[in-house]
Amino acid sequence: MIYALNISLGYMITEWIGLGLFFVKGNASWRILFGLQLVPTAIMLIPSFWMPFSPRWLIMKDRQDEARIVLEKLHSHMKDDETFHQREFNQIQAQIHLDNEEGRGFKDLFLTPSYRKRVFLVVFACVSGQMTGIIPLQNYQVFIYQICGFGGLMSLILTAVWGTTTCLAVLFMSPWIDRIGRRKSVFLAYGFIIPGSLIIIVTWARFDASDRTNLGVAKAIIFGMFFMLWGYAGILNTFVPCYSSEIMPTCVRAAGVACGYAAFNIIVILLVQVTPLALENVSWRYFLAFLIWDFIAVVVYYFFYPETKNATLEEIEAIFGDRVAVSLDDACSSHSAVHEKVNVEQVEKTLA
């Protein structure tokens, strides 16, 4: 959620600054805009020196004491279970020990069936997020507003309102991912995205049929854009990085998530290139492709994406059928965590 909110804040701030710089004449407008990029860079750099390391990474580097301290801080709110951080530490330690014994690496992303499945889920989620049509709407919304009959200044104002709405959507919608679970949140997201897409397609078709003179219908196009935004910005923009990182095993997490974002960027580049041509030549029909993909995505999410709410990263290994060193409940001591091996059925029973 914080990741999605920061992206949304970046869009919103940039769009409002862009609106303000509309009134600045000459080269100063774009130079100020580019120069302001140094500010968030510095804000990110300075606090990074105090950012804690991942406890799993610390354990992989034999820095167990530091890992235990980080876990204790992370779970300091769990006053009713003060041993949780120790049990999780034991479980992480045992799982890393098991992964090291099995010698997992990048090649296993494609050689191990459960890893291949997870890479597919990551890539599909990243691609499906962009195939909602959010990139054409986000990147070319000024062009769309002008098609709908709005002038340059009003188009910039609507763009800034879009960025603000994105932030509000994240704040109001993203918490549901932890409240109702990952799967239900995705279906909630498409409960906004699919109707929003239908509104865009139907009203745009009517707008074109009126020779683009019916400005009342044009406003309905914009309503559909903003309605759809609540589903994507509010949930999918949080779901994708969350789910992608938590279903990948520690030993290949970086590589697995990277595969997803490689596909993500390929789709973004493709859509950025073709959207101007598509809007000019096929108009509203362009968005039919996104609507069809949305229906396919809902089916795939329903049948292939397991729920991971409230499961530790090690327990998620069991959900995908991988061997887990020790269940969380059995991780009572570092000795049992390192040496006891529990089969997948036992772990799944514990999760149930």
Side-chain angles (χ1 to χ4, degrees), residues 10-314:
Y11 272 117
M12 183 190 74
I13 293 170
T14 304
E15 286 157 354
W16 281 107
I17 291 173
L19 175 60
L21 292 174
F22 174 80
F23 300 99
V24 177
K25 305 303 179 184
N27 290 329
S29 58
W30 67 264
R31 285 177 174 164
I32 292 172
L33 187 62
F34 276 88
L36 287 173
Q37 293 181 90
L38 295 172
V39 177
T41 305
I43 293 174
M44 288 179 65
L45 174 63
I46 295 171
S48 68
F49 295 104
W50 288 273
M51 186 171 66
F53 288 103
S54 160
R56 288 167 178 80
W57 181 84
L58 288 169
I59 293 174
M60 289 171 67
K61 300 299 180 181
D62 293 324
R63 294 160 64 174
Q64 282 81 0
D65 291 340
E66 295 176 63
R68 191 179 285 106
I69 291 171
V70 172
L71 285 169
E72 188 173 0
K73 289 181 178 178
L74 287 173
H75 301 302
S76 60
H77 64 286
M78 300 181 67
K79 302 298 183 183
D80 57 334
D81 189 359
E82 296 182 355
T83 65
F84 182 85
H85 75 273
Q86 181 60 51
R87 288 186 287 122
E88 187 176 22
F89 171 85
N90 294 339
Q91 186 186 46
I92 294 169
Q93 191 177 47
Q95 190 64 38
I96 290 175
H97 180 79
L98 177 62
D99 290 343
N100 289 337
E101 282 186 346
E102 294 179 343
R104 300 292 189 183
F106 178 77
K107 66 181 185 302
D108 294 290
L109 280 177
F110 310 101
L111 298 179
T112 305
S114 69
Y115 287 14
R116 281 201 305 269
K117 178 181 178 180
R118 281 182 263 192
V119 170
F120 167 79
L121 296 181
V122 170
V123 170
F124 186 85
C126 289
V127 170
S128 295
Q130 303 316 299
M131 286 300 293
T132 58
I134 194 66
I135 288 297
L137 297 178
Q138 165 66 46
N139 288 19
Y140 293 99
Q141 56 183 303
V142 170
F143 182 56
I144 294 173
Y145 298 145
Q146 290 175 347
I147 289 176
C148 293
F150 292 97
L153 178 59
M154 181 54 69
S155 295
L156 290 176
I157 292 173
L158 287 171
T159 301
V161 173
W162 171 280
T164 306
T165 305
T166 300
C167 293
L168 294 174
V170 175
L171 289 172
F172 282 103
M173 302 291 289
S174 286
W176 289 101
I177 290 179
D178 275 340
R179 291 176 186 170
I180 65 175
R182 279 58 164 144
R183 283 171 53 85
K184 291 180 180 178
S185 295
V186 168
F187 301 137
L188 177 61
Y190 278 96
F192 286 90
I193 292 169
I194 290 177
S197 297
L198 283 169
I199 292 171
I200 292 170
I201 292 168
V202 172
T203 55
W204 200 324
R206 290 186 58 193
F207 183 58
D208 281 357
S210 70
D211 292 328
R212 298 187 174 181
T213 58
N214 191 336
L215 297 182
V217 176
K219 293 177 182 178
I221 298 174
I222 298 171
F223 172 80
M225 291 170 56
F226 277 81
F227 189 84
M228 173 186 162
L229 180 65
W230 280 86
Y232 177 83
I235 295 177
L236 282 192
N237 214 21
T238 295
F239 169 83
V240 171
C242 170
Y243 199 86
S244 298
S245 59
E246 69 183 4
I247 68 170
M248 293 306 305
T250 301
C251 56
V252 291
R253 179 165 295 115
V257 174
C259 289
Y261 278 96
F264 171 98
N265 285 293
I266 289 171
I267 296 297
V268 168
I269 293 169
L270 173 66
L271 295 177
V272 168
Q273 295 299 313
V274 304
T275 293
L277 297 173
L279 291 178
E280 182 179 350
N281 291 284
V282 296
S283 188
W284 58 271
R285 297 171 186 83
Y286 178 47
F287 292 94
L288 285 172
F290 302 119
L291 181 63
I292 293 169
W293 186 283
D294 289 340
F295 282 111
I296 295 172
V298 169
V299 173
V300 174
Y301 277 120
Y302 182 83
F303 286 104
F304 295 102
Y305 282 71
E307 182 56 66
T308 57
K309 176 188 174 186
N310 291 336
T312 66
L313 297 180
E314 285 67 37

